[in-house]
Amino acid sequence: MTGVAGFIGSNLASRLLAEGYEVLGMDNLAYGLRENVPEDVEFYRLDIRDKDMVPLFKGVDTVFHLAAKNCISDCQTDPVETAQINVSGTVNVFEAARRAGVRKIVYAESSALYEGSSIYPTPESEEKPESFYAVSKLASMHFAKAYERFYGLKFTALRYFCVYGPVQDYRRTIPPVMSAFIIKLLKGERPIIYGTGEKRRDFVYVDDVNDFHLICIENDRTHGRVFNIGSGVNYSVKEILDRVSKILHITPDPIYKGDLPGEAQVTLADITQAKGLGWKPQTPMEEGLERAIEYIRGEMKAGRIP
Ligand SMILES: NC(=O)c1ccc[n+]([C@@H]2O[C@H](COP(=O)([O-])OP(=O)(O)OC[C@H]3O[C@@H](n4cnc5c(N)ncnc54)[C@H](O)[C@@H]3O)[C@@H](O)[C@H]2O)c1
């Protein structure tokens, strides 16, 4: 697995270990943390652009490729590094997998591919990337298809919507919206809303995403296909703040700031394809939020959030 020290990667590694799989994980720790990586993972601190990855991939059945430069605003300011990591790095992972005889690659795309679309819920066919990040993810898809076409390397592409849950990265300058609200409210500070708070987001809990990851390993009907992984329901940013506040018994008094550039107004997944394989998101929002709050509380108690 690449990106094992990140949010989705560390959660997936724990789940795979619990299911009895052996996990070898790599990460350059650009965003992720070593302590996020479960103890039983065979860990390598490595950049996905490293040319010497082939030996590590020998004997591996399925590669989950999650490492990426994935903060949209960072990608906008550095398109060259975005392409180096998300395109060249991804091709380097595909190439190492092919040379090592890996059976299958499951890799991360993003709902950002629908930035230019106004069809809701959005089906997989609506590819309209605009930002450098989204374009880099679309390039990966064409390489994945070419690797399958010319070398028979099986793949599944996953277009995650807003994944949330424990271990979500809250250290960024502008953390993901849920973590940002939880941290501010737990600290007794005023939460910040960028824009009017009317933007709507499709959130999906990380354990539900992991249910689909397991299907990708086991079900041949995922081969050569792209899947939206969202919940098929969306909430406005204000509604999310209300829900977090209600759980914490706080009346929020948000500070409104200017809109963040490059963010879609609405995301809403058409999850017909994934449901067709027997998957559906199971975790109610309240339950997912409570677990995310519990995690952040723990981080605060441990002094990791100043
Ligand atoms: N979390 C979401 O809601 C979401 C939504 C859409 C798409 N995605 C995609 O899913 C994947 C995982 O996302 P996440 O939320 O876990 O992100 P994350 O930032 O928590 O994890 C990504 C990991 O990749 C590592 N990494 C970055 N560049 C690397 C490099 N050059 N070499 C090796 N490792 C490197 C980082 O250190 C980090 O640990 C990413 O590809 C992201 O674009 C996530």
Side-chain angles (χ1 to χ4, degrees), residues 1 4 12-14 16-17 21-25 40-43:
M1 180 189 307
V4 70
L12 173 58
S14 301
L16 289 171
L17 291 166
Y21 290 100
E22 282 175 44
V23 182
L24 182 152
D40 290 336
V41 170
E42 186 181 333
F43 178 72

Side-chain angles (χ1 to χ4, degrees), residues 2-11 26-34 36-37 43-50 53 65-71 81 84-86 89-90 93 107-112 133 136-137 158-164 167-170 172 176 202-204 206 209 213 229:
T2 73
V4 70
F7 163 46
I8 299 177
S10 58
N11 276 285
M26 56 178 77
D27 201 300
N28 70 351
L29 306 182
Y31 303 114
L33 297 177
R34 179 67 181 89
N36 288 346
V37 183
F43 178 72
Y44 295 88
R45 182 168 186 176
L46 207 74
D47 195 292
I48 54 166
R49 292 164 287 182
D50 194 311
M53 287 193 299
H65 170 46
L66 302 171
K69 184 173 176 73
N70 60 5
C71 175
E81 195 183 63
Q84 284 166 344
I85 297 175
N86 295 1
T90 293
V93 171
Y107 75 95
E109 289 186 12
S110 167
S111 61
Y133 168 71
S136 72
K137 291 287 187 180
L158 300 179
R159 290 192 188 145
Y160 306 121
F161 280 63
C162 292
V163 185
Y164 75 101
V167 200
Q168 191 175 46
D169 183 8
Y170 53 74
R172 301 180 180 202
D202 181 323
F203 291 94
V204 60
V206 67
V209 176
H213 287 140
I229 301 298

Side-chain angles (χ1 to χ4, degrees), residues 61-223:
D61 174 77
T62 305
V63 169
F64 286 92
H65 170 46
L66 302 171
K69 184 173 176 73
N70 60 5
C71 175
I72 292 191
S73 51
D74 286 356
C75 292
Q76 286 304 105
T77 51
D78 197 343
V80 173
E81 195 183 63
T82 303
Q84 284 166 344
I85 297 175
N86 295 1
V87 184
S88 301
T90 293
V91 176
N92 196 39
V93 171
F94 290 168
E95 179 64 13
R98 162 191 87 89
R99 285 177 187 265
V102 165
R103 180 185 65 101
K104 178 165 187 183
I105 288 245
V106 181
Y107 75 95
E109 289 186 12
S110 167
S111 61
L113 263 82
Y114 307 132
E115 282 162 345
S117 172
S118 47
I119 294 179
Y120 308 113
T122 316
E124 286 85 350
S125 54
E126 267 295 292
E127 284 150 7
K128 293 199 170 116
E130 292 182 346
S131 65
F132 291 111
Y133 168 71
V135 167
S136 72
K137 291 287 187 180
L138 186 64
S140 309
M141 188 186 73
H142 290 296
F143 275 98
K145 286 184 175 169
Y147 267 95
E148 187 185 51
R149 190 178 308 128
F150 296 111
Y151 293 123
L153 179 63
K154 296 183 175 64
F155 78 88
T156 303
L158 300 179
R159 290 192 188 145
Y160 306 121
F161 280 63
C162 292
V163 185
Y164 75 101
V167 200
Q168 191 175 46
D169 183 8
Y170 53 74
R171 290 171 190 81
R172 301 180 180 202
T173 327
I174 299 172
V177 65
M178 275 183 185
S179 302
F181 289 160
I182 296 169
I183 291 171
K184 287 284 185 192
L185 292 173
L186 284 177
K187 281 182 172 174
E189 294 174 6
R190 293 173 69 192
I192 299 169
I193 291 182
Y194 295 92
T196 61
E198 300 303 331
K199 275 187 206 156
R200 301 188 75 81
R201 290 280 172 275
D202 181 323
F203 291 94
V204 60
Y205 190 66
V206 67
D207 284 356
D208 295 335
V209 176
N210 281 333
D211 290 343
F212 197 80
H213 287 140
L214 294 180
I215 293 176
C216 291
I217 301 175
E218 289 152 11
N219 190 329
D220 291 355
R221 287 168 62 212
T222 57
H223 295 345

Side-chain angles (χ1 to χ4, degrees), residues 233-244:
V233 180
N234 64 12
Y235 297 92
S236 74
V237 169
K238 267 192 202 156
E239 284 166 351
I240 292 298
L241 177 59
D242 286 345
R243 280 170 178 254
V244 176

